């Protein structure tokens, strides 16, 4: 299998952490892709018509894309139990929350990076950050008991989302007023899979 990826992507990181945690890293060849929303890589488009990473190319079936699909496939392949039957809907909702934080945070980067300065909308940026802020507050009030339980895909998604906020939006100081969530992340970020996939650049 080949993973079309860019290590700066939080969605790619989620897949990489899953590969580490399920012992499948050696089964996948990493293929670096340089792509943007405006000029997507032709090789990526041929694998994923949406032109988005990550995309997992398989020899025995169609390319899988969207990190949630890929992670669910990898979990099933390894029978790792990252989507436990006993709390699968909670796990999926927590994963969706992490993905939504990542998406809003990435859209802020895109707005600042790919639009001409005179067309950058601060209202748009603040609207996206408001989504992030509400999700972080919800984690602290509704989800800490889950996050302190046995690790599942919800933990991985939230860990990668918080890591991306540190990576691209450090000045926003997401930890302020969220001591419990910050303490959880301080511990989770020390997992070998998280350390091995820390983005740079």
């Amino acid at each position: 299998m080949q993973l079309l990826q860019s290590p700066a992507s939080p969605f790619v990181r989620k897949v990489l952490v899953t590969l580490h945690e399920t012992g499948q890293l050696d089964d996948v060849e990493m293929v670096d892709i340089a792509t943007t929303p405006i000029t997507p890589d032709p090789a990526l488009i041929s694998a994923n018509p949406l032109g988005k990473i990550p995309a997992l190319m398989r020899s025995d079936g169609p390319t899988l894309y969207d990190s949630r699909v890929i992670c669910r496939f990898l979990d099933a392949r390894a029978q790792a139990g990252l989507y436990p039957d006993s709390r699968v809907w909670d796990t999926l909702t927590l994963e969706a929350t992490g993905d939504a934080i990542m998406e809003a945070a990435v859209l802020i980067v895109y707005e600042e990076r790919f639009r001409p300065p005179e067309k950058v909308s601060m209202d748009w940026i603040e609207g996206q950050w408001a989504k992030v802020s509400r999700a972080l507050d919800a984690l602290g009030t509704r989800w800490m008991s889950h996050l302190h339980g046995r690790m599942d895909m919800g933990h991985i998604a939230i860990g990668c989302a918080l890591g991306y906020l540190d990576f691209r939006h450090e000045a926003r100081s997401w930890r302020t007023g969220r001591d419990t969530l910050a303490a959880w992340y301080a511990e989770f970020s020390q997992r070998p899979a998280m350390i091995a996939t820390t983005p740079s650049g």
Side-chain angles (χ1 to χ4, degrees), residues 96-174:
T97 302
D99 284 2
I101 293 170
M102 291 186 240
E103 181 179 12
V106 168
L107 287 175
I108 293 172
V109 173
Y110 285 172
E111 180 73 9
E112 296 174 332
R113 184 174 295 175
F114 297 115
R115 288 177 67 86
E118 68 275 10
K119 293 185 177 181
V120 170
S121 170
M122 292 308 300
D123 287 341
W124 167 263
I125 289 173
E126 292 309 315
Q128 296 305 316
W129 186 257
K131 295 178 187 178
V132 172
S133 185
R134 291 193 300 268
L136 295 175
D137 289 342
L139 292 174
T141 58
R142 304 176 196 173
W143 291 103
M144 292 314 302
S145 61
H146 187 115
L147 289 173
H148 282 114
R150 180 181 177 273
M151 190 191 73
D152 58 28
M153 187 52 62
H155 295 69
I156 293 174
I158 296 302
C160 291
L162 298 180
Y164 190 74
L165 297 183
D166 282 348
F167 179 50
R168 292 298 193 204
H169 302 289
E170 185 178 10
R172 294 273 185 171
S173 301
W174 68 263

Side-chain angles (χ1 to χ4, degrees), residues 8 21-22 29 31-32 40 61-62 79 115 148 154 162 168 180 195:
E21 293 285 0
T22 60
E29 176 189 356
V31 180
D32 290 338
Q79 298 184 348
R115 288 177 67 86
H148 282 114
L162 298 180
R168 292 298 193 204
T180 303
I195 293 172

Side-chain angles (χ1 to χ4, degrees), residues 5-10 12-13 16 32-33 53 167 197-200:
Q5 60 103 33
S6 171
S9 163
V12 168
R13 188 184 188 191
L16 294 177
D32 290 338
I33 294 289
I53 52 174
F167 179 50
T197 59
T198 302
S200 61

